[in-house]
Structure formats: C-alpha cells, structure tokens
C-alpha cells in the first residue's frame, strides 16, 4: 500500500495518538514474529488504519504487551495483540509480495525480486490460508498493470481495480478472524464483511487517485504513464487541482457513508480523524503541492 | 414495521453513537450464535432481524441513503417527478423510437437500483444525446464510478444548458460531498482553512453559492 491513509496528528488527542501508536507497534511486532525482519519493513500506515477498524468493529480479545523495538532500542514500548492485527499483517505481506512480483515482471527491478524471494516460503503458507483472497489480489494487481500498460486512462477502471483489491482485504468476517486465535470467544459475531468491503473499495479508489495525483509532475516529466496526464496538460494547474479535489471528495463521501453504516463504538475518534481528515494530509500538503513550481 | 427507534429502545433524536451502541448490544444479545441453546431461539432470530432492519433504516436516513441509492434521489424527489414527465411525454408523443424505449428501460433500471443493467442498456445506444449522458451519470454514480459520473453530467449540461434536471443532478452529486465536508469540520479537515482552493472549485460549480457551506 502507499501510506496515504494517515492520521491528522495535530488534530488528534494525545491519548488517541498513543493508542494509534500501540496498533502500529502491534502490527510491526506481528509482522516480525510471523515474517521476520524482512516482513517488518513492509509495514505501512494504511494497514495500521485497517487494523484499528477491524478491531473496533469485531472487538477481538486484545492484550497489552511490552517490547523493545529496533527503532527505539532504549525505551520500552506498549503494543497491542489481537487476531485483527495478525490478519492485517498477513494481508500487508500478501499485497507487498504480489506487488513486488508484478514490479519485477514489469521493470526487472532486482531489489524487488530479491525482497519477494526472501519471504516467499512464508507467503506461500499465508496464501494457502487465505486462498481466495490471495487469488483475487494477485489477479487484480495483474489486471491493473495490464491496463496501465495499454495506457487506459479511465480513472474509474484503474482506481476501481485497486479498489477491488482493497475490497478483498477489508471484506473479512468474524469467523475468518476467529480462526486465527482460540481465545476470541467474545468476538462480535455479526458478519459485516460486505459493508467492510464496500468501504475498502472506496478507500482503494481514493488511494489510487491520490497516488496518481501525487506522481503526476514526475510522470509527465519522465514520460511515464499516468491516467491524469491529458487532464494535467490541458488544464490550468488550479483547475486541475480543483478537478482532482472534487473527484476525491465524491469518493471520500461514499467511503464515509459506508463507514458510518458500521456499528462501531470503539476507537471512533481515531477512525474519524483518518476518514474525515488524515487521508487529506498529502493532498493539502503545500510543500509537495503539484502546482508548486509553476506558481512560483 | 415498528418505529425503528422504539425497536432499539431509544427516543427519537437519539445520537448516532447511541444508535450504534444500542444496536451493538441488542444484536449481540439476539444473534443466532448466542441463542443456540435458547428454547425461544426462533423468537430471538425474529428479534435479531427486526433490530437489524431498524438499524439499517435509521442509518440510511442519517447518511442520505446508501452510496448506491442515487436511483431514488434520496429525499430530493427530483427523479420521481422527472420519471412522470418522461412517461407523459411518451404517451403524448405516441410512437416512440427504439432508442427512446431503450433510454426508458435504462431509466427504469436506475429507479430500481439496478445500475449495472442500466449501464449495459445505455451502452447499446449509439445516439448519445443530453438525456443519455444524464442517465449515464446517474447510473455511473450508483455503480461507484465517480469520475465518469462527473464527466457525463458536465457533458449533459453542455449539450442542454437550460435543463434544470441536469443541473439539479450535478448539485446532488456535489451535495453528497457537502455531507462529508460538514462532518469533516469537526476533525480538522485541512480543506476548511484553504479559502483559495474553495474559490477555485466553486467557479466550476453550478448553483454553488446556494449549496456550498464553505463559500
């Protein structure tokens, strides 16, 4: 994933931030335990958010743990452990593994290939556990890059393809989580996978569009494919930004609607901070603004 | 159906958080898995379904319908009125062409929330007039194709600039994001502080001063 799904830290309460960090560290620990240090480096904010969402919805049994971590060896850190976090660690790995394979097939990037080689055996096991999800993710990644290769500029098709990947990752039932840990006796039993999937689809679309917007200047300079190239070249910069903003707004609104239908009562202030604010951080980050150079 | 708030044991005007909390408690209690050994499990299942329906109806109301409810124009009633006008036009006009009846079929699909079928029907039509682009915008929005929807409603308006219905659809599309923006203010959505951005988008908007809370 791309790391666009972040919190808006200045707007967040200190205790919420601490809680969010505990999820982040929890995910990092889970990746390390299950996939080693090579797994750990694939950690993104996007999957941290997903772990918070799934935990808040299904309320799996969660324990507080303490660790020392590599990044901060001198201090002890609290982190969370539960089946939702482990699930997201698995999904995080599946996605980055298949993405690496695809990049290798595309541009023979050796670093990517060696990375995917290192975790290959462990991924195989995970792909077996979630056979259907693994097949869909792989298929959709291939489909997406084939669209990009023929320079399909239909943003709904491209972003929808990535949306389908995220739909598959988010659409998880309580039973799928429960299978991962015996202890989850109190897990919320109602299956919300369909609504979760819908949410994931719009989040995926949002991420893809934002990523394309974020890369547009570089892609145009290097003559790399970007679905927004024609619009970027034919519009004034402010008009272009307005267009993307409006598109993102529509997608985000559909995403927020799907979220608000979920009966979530825990971690609400963290989740809404991301959904209504954090996901816009990159778009409104002036230092990285798309039109920066042209307007100076 | 009983009053949904009553089903959840709440008063009217209960907050969204209260609704979610009540729903969670009750759906846990009546979930079939929690009532396997309950002699009254059929009753529990019935209750479970009732609680689910109540929750759904309240939540659909709060969010202005589900993301794929563009067919019924949640609350606007605009589409209903136009459907009638359309029917009238057909009756008065007598014999309808093949294309027209296809457009009518697409519109019917939209009104029934069958957006994929509507899109398929529309794709079979070669003569793409303003109405075609309008219906395509609605069907695409319902299918989660926001970019195509934006493009097609603009094209419909460009082809028939005086058509009030098309403009209403455009502001309806934007209205969906107004809901989102107004909720976002409480969470410090960065856009709120950015006046110039707002001005710029507003220039592209029709009816913008009337509907946009930020201008």
């Amino acid at each position: 994933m791309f790391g666009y799904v972040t919190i808006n830290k200045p707007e967040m309460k200190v205790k919420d931030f601490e809680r969010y960090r505990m999820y982040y560290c929890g995910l990092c620990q889970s990746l390390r335990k299950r996939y080693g240090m090579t797994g750990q480096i694939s950690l993104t904010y996007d999957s941290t958010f997903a772990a918070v969402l799934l935990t808040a919805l299904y309320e799996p049994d969660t324990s507080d743990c303490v660790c020392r971590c590599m990044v901060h060896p001198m201090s002890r850190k609290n982190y969370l452990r539960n089946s939702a976090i482990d699930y997201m660690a698995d999904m995080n790995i599946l996605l980055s593994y298949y993405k690496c394979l695809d990049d290798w097939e595309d541009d023979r990037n050796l670093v990517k290939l060696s990375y995917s080689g290192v975790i290959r055996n462990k991924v195989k096991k995970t792909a077996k556990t979630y056979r259907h999800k693994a097949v869909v993710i792989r298929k959709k990644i291939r489909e997406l890059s084939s669209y990009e290769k023929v320079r399909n500029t239909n943003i709904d098709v491209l972003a929808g393809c990535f949306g389908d990947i995220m739909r598959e990752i988010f659409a998880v039932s309580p039973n799928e989580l429960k299978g991962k840990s015996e202890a989850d006796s109190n897990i919320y039993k109602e299956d919300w996978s369909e609504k979760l999937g819908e949410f994931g689809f719009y989040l995926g679309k949002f991420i893809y569009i934002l990523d394309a917007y974020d890369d547009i200047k570089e892609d145009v300079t290097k003559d790399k494919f970007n679905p927004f190239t024609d619009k970027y070249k034919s519009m004034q910069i402010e008009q272009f930004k307005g267009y993307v903003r409006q598109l993102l707004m529509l997608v985000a609104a559909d995403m927020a609607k799907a979220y608000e239908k979920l009966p979530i009562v825990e971690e609400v202030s963290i989740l809404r901070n991301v959904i209504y604010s954090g996901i816009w951080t990159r778009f409104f980050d002036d230092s990285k603004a798309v039109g920066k150079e042209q307007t100076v | 159906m009983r009053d949904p708030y009553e089903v959840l044991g709440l008063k009217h005007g209960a907050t969204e958080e209260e609704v979610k909390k009540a729903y969670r408690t009750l759906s846990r209690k009546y979930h079939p898995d929690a009532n396997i050994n309950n002699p009254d499990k059929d009753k529990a299942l019935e209750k479970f379904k009732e609680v689910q329906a109540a929750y759904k109806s309240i939540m659909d109301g709060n969010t202005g319908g589900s993301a794929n409810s563009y067919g019924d124009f949640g609350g606007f009633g605009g589409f209903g009125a136009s459907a009638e006008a359309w029917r009238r036009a057909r009756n008065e006009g007598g014999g309808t062409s093949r294309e027209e009846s296809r457009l009518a079929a697409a519109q019917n699909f939209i009104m029934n929330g069958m957006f994929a079928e509507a899109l398929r029907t529309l794709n079979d039509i070669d003569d793409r007039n303003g109405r075609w682009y309008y219906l395509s915008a609605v069907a695409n929005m319902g299918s989660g194709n926001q970019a195509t929807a934006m493009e097609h409603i603009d094209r419909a308006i460009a082809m028939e600039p005086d058509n009030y219905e098309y403009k209403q659809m455009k502001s309806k599309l934007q209205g969906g994001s107004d809901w989102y923006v107004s909720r976002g203010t409480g969470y410090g959505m960065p856009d709120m502080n950015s006046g110039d951005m707002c001005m710029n988008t507003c220039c592209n908007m029709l009816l913008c001063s009337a509907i946009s809370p930020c201008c």
Side-chain angles (χ1 to χ4, degrees), chain B residues 86-96:
Chain B
W86 178 250
R87 245 172 267 132
R88 224 182 305 128
R90 280 187 62 192
N91 290 339
E92 283 164 11
T96 52

Side-chain angles (χ1 to χ4, degrees), chain B residues 179-192:
Chain B
W179 169 88
Y180 172 77
V181 171
S182 68
R183 275 185 169 239
T185 41
Y187 296 90
M189 191 188 283
D191 190 30
M192 290 294 93

Side-chain angles (χ1 to χ4, degrees), chain A residues 1-7 20-21 23-29 31 38-52 85 88-97 99 115 162 166 169-170 203 207 274 282:
Chain A
M1 291 184 248
F2 303 92
Y4 291 118
V5 189
T6 55
I7 52 167
Y20 177 77
R21 192 202 53 73
Y23 278 100
Y24 184 82
C25 292
L27 198 50
C28 189
Q29 288 294 323
L31 280 167
T38 33
Q40 234 171 337
I41 58 172
S42 72
L43 175 60
T44 66
Y45 287 119
D46 306 17
S47 25
T48 309
F49 167 79
V52 182
I85 293 172
M88 272 323 295
D90 289 346
M91 290 300 122
N92 197 92
I93 286 288
L94 279 186
L95 187 57
S96 32
Y97 177 77
K99 187 87 186 57
Y115 177 79
F162 190 70
M166 296 301 265
I169 290 175
F170 276 78
L203 182 68
I207 294 172
V274 175
R282 186 77 69 101

Side-chain angles (χ1 to χ4, degrees), chain A residues 2 140-141 143-145 147-148 152-167 197-213 225-228 243 247-248 251, chain B residues 143-148:
Chain A
F2 303 92
K140 287 285 167 183
I141 287 178
E143 196 180 317
L144 183 55
S145 60
Y147 287 140
E148 289 177 343
N152 183 332
T153 54
N154 186 328
I155 196 82
D156 282 328
V157 170
L158 294 161
C161 206
F162 190 70
D164 285 338
I165 296 172
M166 296 301 265
R167 185 203 299 278
E198 194 185 309
F199 175 85
F201 174 75
Y202 292 120
L203 182 68
K205 278 195 87 167
F206 188 94
I207 294 172
Y208 187 89
I209 294 168
L210 188 52
D211 187 52
Y213 170 80
F225 171 74
N226 188 307
F228 285 136
Y243 164 76
L247 179 55
L248 285 172
V251 178
Chain B
S143 310
N145 297 325
Q146 298 88 349
T148 314

Side-chain angles (χ1 to χ4, degrees), chain A residues 5-72:
Chain A
V5 189
T6 55
I7 52 167
N8 181 356
K9 196 177 169 190
E11 294 288 335
M12 196 176 241
K13 283 185 187 145
V14 175
K15 77 170 180 7
D16 282 343
F17 179 72
E18 172 58 16
R19 184 86 184 151
Y20 177 77
R21 192 202 53 73
M22 283 167 75
Y23 278 100
Y24 184 82
C25 292
L27 198 50
C28 189
Q29 288 294 323
S30 175
L31 280 167
R32 181 184 192 168
K33 211 172 78 196
R34 304 145 75 82
Y35 301 99
M37 273 162 57
T38 33
Q40 234 171 337
I41 58 172
S42 72
L43 175 60
T44 66
Y45 287 119
D46 306 17
S47 25
T48 309
F49 167 79
V52 182
L53 180 72
L54 294 179
T55 302
L57 178 63
Y58 288 134
E59 298 181 0
D61 294 339
T62 302
S63 45
D64 267 298
C65 307
V66 182
C67 66
R68 285 181 192 283
C69 81
M70 293 191 311
V71 189
H72 315 277

Side-chain angles (χ1 to χ4, degrees), chain A residues 8 57 59 155-156 186 188 190 202 205 245-246 250 254 260-263 272 275-277 280, chain B residues 16 20 23-24 27-28 33 52 55 60 66 144-148 173-174 180 183 187-189 191:
Chain A
N8 181 356
L57 178 63
E59 298 181 0
I155 196 82
D156 282 328
N186 290 319
Y188 184 58
E190 201 184 341
Y202 292 120
K205 278 195 87 167
R245 176 192 169 281
Q246 196 186 344
L250 288 176
D254 279 344
E260 294 298 351
K261 299 245 166 61
L262 297 168
R272 290 217 178 107
I275 292 168
Y276 291 100
S277 176
W280 291 96
Chain B
E16 205 172 77
K20 288 187 181 186
Y23 174 71
R24 245 190 128 84
S27 68
R28 259 186 198 277
D33 283 6
Q52 274 185 316
Y55 177 74
D60 281 353
S66 60
N145 297 325
Q146 298 88 349
T148 314
L173 282 190
Q174 283 155 350
Y180 172 77
R183 275 185 169 239
Y187 296 90
M189 191 188 283
D191 190 30

Side-chain angles (χ1 to χ4, degrees), chain A residues 260-261, chain B residues 16 19-20 55-64:
Chain A
E260 294 298 351
K261 299 245 166 61
Chain B
E16 205 172 77
V19 172
K20 288 187 181 186
Y55 177 74
K56 190 176 179 301
S57 106
I58 296 175
M59 282 308 162
D60 281 353
N62 281 353
T63 54

